[in-house]
Amino acid sequence: MSKVKAAVFASGTGSNFVAMMNCKELACEIVLLVCDKPGASVIEKAKYFGVQTFVLNPKAFNDKREYETEVLRAVREVGAEWIFLAGYMRLIGHTLLNAYEEKILNIHPSLLPSFPGKDAIGQALAAGAEITGVTVHYIDEGMDTGPIIAQKQVKVLPEDTEETLKYRIQKAEHVLYPEVINQVVRKERLWPVE
Ligand code: GRF
């Protein structure tokens, strides 16, 4: 039986994309990478894995609706039922939210609702947090505000720099995201727990 298809949206390095591709038991097939940053290194990674890429510059469009209409066309064309954001540095607008209601997940490098937005790891260090972590959540129109599905804690060590903490946070992400994707796609998790 063929697997459910999914698209990954990413803007940067793509280590979470690679973690999904390396997960042999992934319950869905990643058929498309959408990237809003021409030149981002995730694009080369997608090519390495033979995943179709759709790279576009949002500045080439008049507004978010026009940009997302183009993205939606590409995602529908490959038959993706799910969208996984993995370092996609852009808020999702109504065009995609309406078309993929409860079908868009994101991963964020903190225990939300703490430290939303950019530089979550720097924020945790600056706040002197002793524990931080990662969160997988559904997307809504806010910045890292959608319903939380799963979290994993990561201890902050006294000697941590942004680099060392980021390393351990990303290790946690690479395990948690494929796990949660599988649970959600297989409907083992129907809706987030409070
Ligand atoms: C991850 O830390 C993710 O939590 C955040 O952006 C980062 C993307 O990293 N949203 P990568 O491109 O997957 O390596």
Side-chain angles (χ1 to χ4, degrees):
M1 208 176 74
S2 64
K3 289 182 179 175
V4 168
K5 294 180 173 140
V8 174
F9 287 19
S11 309
T13 314
S15 70
N16 280 282
F17 171 81
V18 170
M20 289 176 212
M21 297 309 300
N22 280 343
C23 176
K24 296 214 168 35
E25 295 82 32
L26 201 70
C28 52
E29 186 191 356
I30 308 296
V31 291
L32 182 70
L33 171 79
V34 173
C35 181
D36 62 334
K37 290 261 160 50
S41 49
V42 67
I43 299 165
E44 285 312 308
K45 288 169 178 139
K47 287 184 178 153
Y48 171 83
F49 284 103
V51 172
Q52 189 180 324
T53 58
F54 187 61
V55 183
L56 69 179
N57 185 349
K59 290 196 182 115
F61 298 85
N62 288 319
D63 55 26
K64 195 189 254 303
R65 194 173 57 83
E66 215 177 81
Y67 164 75
E68 287 199 343
T69 300
E70 191 61 13
V71 172
L72 184 57
R73 191 193 52 72
V75 172
R76 281 188 166 147
E77 200 170 274
V78 296
E81 284 184 38
W82 288 89
I83 295 173
F84 307 132
L85 309 185
Y88 182 66
M89 303 304 283
R90 194 163 289 282
L91 282 179
I92 299 290
H94 289 287
T95 307
L96 283 165
L97 277 175
N98 293 342
Y100 279 81
E101 208 183 342
E102 292 163 24
K103 294 280 189 179
I104 310 179
L105 305 187
N106 182 42
I107 187 151
H108 183 78
S110 77
L111 297 174
L112 291 171
S114 296
F115 313 128
K118 282 188 184 159
D119 192 24
I121 297 169
Q123 288 184 55
L125 282 174
E130 291 178 6
I131 291 181
T132 183
V134 308
T135 302
V136 179
H137 64 100
Y138 287 99
I139 280 293
D140 62 14
E141 64 284 348
M143 169 88 83
D144 304 320
T145 49
I148 292 170
I149 306 170
Q151 297 186 306
K152 193 171 185 140
Q153 293 188 349
V154 175
K155 271 197 191 135
V156 183
L157 306 175
E159 66 273 22
D160 261 334
T161 61
E162 279 206 29
E163 203 176 304
T164 58
L165 183 55
K166 180 178 172 191
Y167 178 81
R168 293 201 312 288
I169 283 187
Q170 290 216 315
K171 288 275 163 228
E173 290 185 336
H174 300 160
V175 175
L176 186 67
Y177 210 2
E179 267 175 23
V180 175
I181 286 171
N182 282 353
Q183 290 170 339
V184 171
V185 168
R186 292 182 180 135
K187 299 191 171 58
E188 289 164 10
R189 268 184 203 264
L190 293 176
W191 193 249
V193 282
E194 287 303 317

